[in-house]
Amino acid sequence: MKIAIIGAGLAGLSCAITLEKHGLEVDVFEKRGMSGDRFMNAEAMFSMTQHPVTDGVKFLSETYGIHLKPSSSIQRLQNYSKNEKSQLDGQLGFIFMRGKHPESLESQLVSQWKGQIQYRQDVSYDDIAKEYTHVVIATGDARDTKKLQPYDVAFKATFRGAVVEGDFDQTEAHAFFNNDFAPKGMAYLLPHSDSKASLVLVYPQYHENERLDKEELWEMCYQECCRRLDQDLKIISNFSLKDYMIGKAEHSRIGNTFFIGNCWGAITPAFGFGQFESMLTGIYAAEDIAGKGDYEELTKHLSQGYHDSLTLRRGLEKLDNQKLDLLTKSISNKFAEELITSKNINLFKIIGRALHPFSRKA
Ligand SMILES: Cc1cc2nc3c(=O)[nH]c(=O)nc-3n(C[C@H](O)[C@H](O)[C@H](O)COP(=O)(O)OP(=O)(O)OC[C@H]3O[C@@H](n4cnc5c(N)ncnc54)[C@H](O)[C@@H]3O)c2cc1C
């Protein structure tokens, strides 16, 4: 058996670590000079989107021996619509640093694999397939999947973001649902520390959004964030990303070619979370290669989660600012808060079905 992984991101590295635990050698190719050599940002891992897992960090550690240190745990989520505000309290999830940060999720995973990543190797499937019996595609880019099989694109997303300086509570995340600047999308602020945070605006590139001026939306988003946090946030670096593809591959594997992470369809479309799911697909593919499971079977619950999340997105997209206000307001009572943070109820699935009568099954 000769195994190659293309891409040393979250999915590729989780796959390499798991293969090593099963005693299998693998060659990992990474096009960048180091793992995570990209803009720095904070990303969230929310327990409420990982049902039935209640603590992703504990789960990965105890079940798969992958040990992660978040930069902070989220104890409060402040939600803002145009005219309303609500908050959720509890052990809601974690924040991880990504990209060029010494404690980034990528560098934490690199340190748990004993092999040597082959850096500056921008390889294609065709380059690799001749030489290896098993190829794992983990480039984080669904365009690579599309070259080999059907990939159902839910939408392409535009991101505009910045690292901002201010005064933050590291245990508090902020989410903005306001069609004025985040049309059918959202914005969020996640602290890196008590003085730095990532502010990110993300929205789908639907036809009606394409004519909007991204910089104007960003300016509105930034002003609204300053207003809500009652601070003059200082922008210290910017990033911008277009055509980020969110969707789902038709097949998890084709013969001995495995699709993992974003190349599989690991991003849940409602809110764009994909870290936890990407790592799981990497682990599951490795288990299959090691003869310990069946990748298609193991990913079934993630496929269902993807489709439930897409249903929820399609429902949320129908809400104008007035309805978003109503939804935000409805979260601001103890009963709703308990439902959302409940370990036993997959509330997002229920809301998705309620908002969208034509739900799809995996
Ligand atoms: C701005 C932004 C914010 C996000 N926020 C969140 C969040 O808050 N919470 C959350 O859960 N998820 C979030 N996500 C999604 C999450 O980051 C992804 O789902 C996850 O990183 C996907 O992991 P992956 O391993 O598939 O890809 P990546 O982690 O992107 O890794 C892919 C790797 O492959 C390498 N590569 C690409 N092409 C080649 C090639 N030809 N040869 C060799 N190497 C190659 C790349 O350089 C990269 O290192 C966010 C995404 C973005 C863009």
Side-chain angles (χ1 to χ4, degrees):
M1 202 185 275
K2 205 168 170 222
I3 312 160
I5 298 175
I6 310 177
L10 304 192
L13 289 166
S14 304
C15 188
I17 293 167
T18 310
L19 286 168
E20 188 173 72
K21 287 186 193 299
H22 291 301
L24 292 171
E25 281 184 18
V26 54
D27 291 335
V28 179
F29 300 97
E30 168 55 50
K31 75 172 176 186
R32 294 182 168 127
M34 59 177 270
S35 286
D37 190 10
R38 52 162 251 206
F39 63 87
M40 186 167 73
N41 69 317
E43 293 189 5
M45 206 190 255
F46 278 106
S47 313
M48 53 190 143
T49 65
Q50 293 168 354
H51 186 82
V53 174
T54 53
D55 181 329
V57 171
K58 182 167 173 250
F59 175 77
L60 289 172
S61 180
E62 291 178 358
T63 318
Y64 299 110
I66 293 181
H67 312 294
L68 305 172
K69 278 201 198 95
S71 67
S72 63
S73 71
I74 305 171
Q75 309 284 338
R76 173 168 290 170
L77 174 63
Q78 304 269 22
N79 299 296
Y80 312 94
S81 57
K82 186 165 179 165
N83 303 299
E84 294 291 344
K85 181 183 163 193
S86 63
Q87 77 183 36
L88 292 172
D89 290 306
Q91 175 45 50
L92 302 174
F94 302 98
I95 296 177
F96 286 96
M97 293 309 299
R98 300 290 311 272
K100 288 180 185 158
H101 186 278
E103 295 297 317
S104 74
L105 201 41
E106 294 92 329
S107 53
Q108 292 190 38
L109 290 171
V110 168
S111 69
Q112 291 176 55
W113 185 54
K114 295 193 194 81
Q116 291 291 320
I117 296 167
Q118 303 189 32
Y119 286 117
R120 296 195 178 80
Q121 300 288 325
D122 187 350
V123 296
S124 72
Y125 176 75
D126 293 338
D127 298 333
I128 293 294
K130 291 179 217 106
E131 254 192 79
Y132 290 85
T133 59
H134 293 70
V135 179
V136 181
I137 303 191
T139 60
D141 187 346
R143 271 163 279 261
D144 294 315
T145 307
K146 274 191 123 187
K147 289 177 197 157
L148 298 169
Q149 62 152 312
Y151 182 93
D152 185 22
V153 181
F155 62 94
K156 288 182 188 167
T158 288
F159 287 84
R160 176 69 173 87
V163 176
V164 293
E165 251 174 20
D167 188 8
F168 306 112
D169 177 342
Q170 271 190 269
T171 63
E172 210 168 286
H174 303 258
F176 301 81
F177 296 92
N178 184 332
N179 286 311
D180 291 351
F181 57 83
K184 298 188 163 99
M186 66 182 293
Y188 56 88
L189 181 127
L190 297 171
H192 304 185
S193 64
D194 54 11
S195 60
K196 284 199 179 87
S198 287
L199 173 62
V200 178
L201 166 66
V202 54
Y203 57 91
Q205 291 168 210
Y206 295 147
H207 180 66
E208 64 276 19
N209 289 350
E210 286 289 51
R211 58 192 160 78
L212 302 171
D213 183 331
K214 184 172 64 174
E215 290 308 313
E216 254 176 48
L217 298 179
W218 167 249
E219 184 55 29
M220 263 192 270
C221 166
Y222 166 72
Q223 294 298 345
E224 174 66 354
C225 186
C226 290
R227 185 180 77 83
R228 291 292 196 165
L229 273 74
D230 196 19
Q231 294 189 46
D232 280 331
L233 300 171
K234 185 179 167 205
I235 294 181
I236 53 173
S237 66
N238 286 290
F239 82 87
S240 179
L241 208 62
K242 217 174 169 295
D243 296 328
Y244 192 78
M245 220 186 263
I246 296 177
K248 179 80 183 53
E250 188 166 313
H251 308 288
S252 300
R253 67 183 284 184
I254 299 174
N256 284 339
T257 300
F258 292 75
F259 300 84
I260 65 173
N262 289 358
C263 292
W264 176 83
I267 302 194
T268 50
F271 306 113
F273 298 119
Q275 299 181 106
F276 182 66
E277 293 76 1
S278 292
M279 289 186 274
L280 280 185
T281 56
I283 293 166
Y284 293 157
E287 295 208 315
D288 188 319
I289 296 169
K292 306 285 179 200
D294 179 284
Y295 188 43
E296 294 277 1
E297 276 300 313
L298 290 167
T299 48
K300 256 192 182 156
H301 71 105
L302 294 178
S303 285
Q304 186 63 57
Y306 171 88
H307 289 296
D308 290 339
S309 180
L310 183 57
T311 303
L312 175 58
R313 156 160 283 280
R314 297 296 181 227
L316 290 173
E317 283 175 350
K318 295 196 181 99
L319 307 183
D320 57 17
N321 275 346
Q322 213 181 349
K323 293 198 178 99
L324 286 171
D325 277 340
L326 283 174
L327 191 64
T328 305
K329 210 172 160 188
S330 68
I331 297 171
S332 55
N333 70 63
K334 209 68 205 151
F335 177 64
E337 183 178 309
E338 271 167 25
L339 272 180
I340 289 173
T341 53
S342 162
K343 318 283 182 218
N344 303 318
I345 298 171
N346 189 350
L347 192 71
F348 285 120
K349 181 173 173 172
I350 296 168
I351 298 175
R353 297 268 155 105
L355 288 173
H356 186 92
F358 310 106
S359 60
R360 294 170 52 180
K361 283 208 169 92

